[in-house]
Every structure is written in structure tokens, then in C-alpha cells.
Amino acid sequence: MDLQNNDKESVNLWTTLDENHLEQKQDENKTSSEERTAVPPDPQNDDVHSIRDTFCLALNILGCFFYMMNYYIVHSSSVQFVNSLGLSDAMSGLIIGAMPWAAMFSSFVFSFWSNTCYRAPLLTSGAFLTAGNVLYASAYRSQSFGMALMGRFLTGLGGPKSLNRRYIADTTPLAKRTVVNAFFGVATA
């Protein structure tokens, strides 16, 4: 395997996704134009969908990046956080562990829910993430361990990793999936 070619592919992710989506749309337009010759394909519409799909994919990967940043921030500061709330160091384990436990349960719900659509589960995930982070951040001001724990639990319920992997698998063509998964891996590392 030529590593330089892989680097070039990963650098050109957005171009690759755009080109691939255009190829898919052209194939669909050929099929649909064969079935109904009265409607010619619209190349401007293809560009709009390509940009939209690329933007959606970028938002999904960015959402996973922010989700993983929660781990990095909370893990390094959880002991100081619980000490500032007047609790022992051992309580930081509950704060750290609340998020993956909630994510484990929500992944099943999001998995079934995303069988029908992606928009509603992704918006719900974003709402849980936002509410959980706001609640966790306000727990320090109100000196409430329960609020901090609930904030971490809500953040876990909004864990988008299972949604993002499925979105990549369902919307990215097989030829470009490795490149997209590489960007997903970088965002979640």
C-alpha cells in the first residue's frame, strides 16, 4: 500500500466526497432519465446536494470531536471539580463514569431510531449534549454534585458516536469510506 497516496486521499476528503456524490447523482439521473425521458437532469441541483451532504458529514464528525473533548476536559479536571464541591476524590469516578453508561443505553435507542431517519436523532443528540454541558458547567456555581452528575448523564445520552458511524456507513460510498473513517478516527482520537 502506498502511504503517499493514502495521505493525498485523506487531505482531499471534501473534494473526494463531492466528486463521489456527483458520480452517484449522475448514475441516478441516468437511471431516472432512462425511465422518464421528459425530465432532464439538473446539474445545479447536484451541486447543492453535494455541498449539503459534505456539510452534514463535516457536522457529524465535528459533533463527535466535541463529544470526545468532553472526556479530555472532564478526566483531567474531575478531581479538582469534586474537591471544589467539598467531596472526596473518589466521587470523580462517578462523574467520569456517568457519561459512558448513559451513552451505552442511548446507542440502542439511536440505533433503532435512525432506521427511519437521521435528522431527528442527530438533533436530539445535539440537544442532550448541549443541555448536559450547560448543566455540568452550572453545577460549579450552584455547588451541586447531583447537577454535575445529571449533566454528565445527559451528555452521555447525547453521545453521537453510534449515529455518526452509521451515518458514514449509510451515506458514504464504499470507495471513499476509508478516507471518511480516517477523518472520523482522527476526530475521535
Side-chain angles (χ1 to χ4, degrees):
M1 182 175 0
D2 188 14
L3 293 176
Q4 290 177 343
N5 287 340
N6 287 340
D7 290 338
K8 289 178 183 176
E9 283 183 6
S10 63
V11 170
N12 295 324
L13 171 69
W14 309 120
T15 306
T16 304
L17 290 173
D18 286 341
E19 291 171 357
N20 187 31
H21 186 72
L22 284 174
E23 290 172 8
Q24 283 182 341
K25 287 296 181 181
Q26 288 172 352
D27 289 343
E28 290 174 8
N29 285 336
K30 286 179 186 175
T31 305
S32 64
S33 65
E34 290 171 0
E35 294 171 0
R36 48 186 170 94
T37 56
V39 179
D42 184 10
Q44 290 178 342
N45 195 20
D46 287 342
D47 292 337
V48 170
H49 286 299
S50 178
I51 292 169
R52 179 178 176 224
D53 290 344
T54 303
F55 183 69
C56 289
L57 187 60
L59 281 178
N60 282 319
I61 292 174
L62 187 66
C64 266
F65 173 74
F66 287 134
Y67 176 74
M68 292 308 293
M69 285 306 295
N70 276 303
Y71 281 110
Y72 299 134
I73 292 169
V74 171
H75 279 239
S76 61
S77 64
S78 63
V79 173
Q80 292 87 4
F81 186 78
V82 295
N83 287 339
S84 72
L85 295 177
L87 300 169
S88 69
D89 294 353
M91 299 305 278
S92 67
L94 285 175
I95 287 180
I96 292 171
M99 193 163 138
W101 273 99
M104 181 178 66
F105 294 117
S106 71
S107 66
F108 291 111
V109 174
F110 286 142
S111 177
F112 287 114
W113 195 3
S114 62
N115 284 336
T116 57
C117 68
Y118 285 107
R119 183 181 175 133
L122 285 170
L123 289 175
T124 303
S125 171
F128 276 135
L129 285 169
T130 303
N133 284 316
V134 167
L135 199 59
Y136 181 75
S138 25
Y140 180 75
R141 175 172 270 175
S142 63
Q143 293 291 307
S144 171
F145 179 71
M147 186 182 281
L149 199 59
M150 182 54 78
R152 293 294 292 164
F153 191 80
L154 284 176
T155 303
L157 285 179
K161 286 182 74 175
S162 63
L163 278 171
N164 289 79
R165 286 201 182 272
R166 182 157 185 187
Y167 183 82
I168 289 170
D170 288 350
T171 61
T172 308
L174 189 59
K176 308 301 179 192
R177 201 168 294 158
T178 302
V179 175
V180 175
N181 277 319
F183 272 92
F184 179 80
V186 168
T188 61

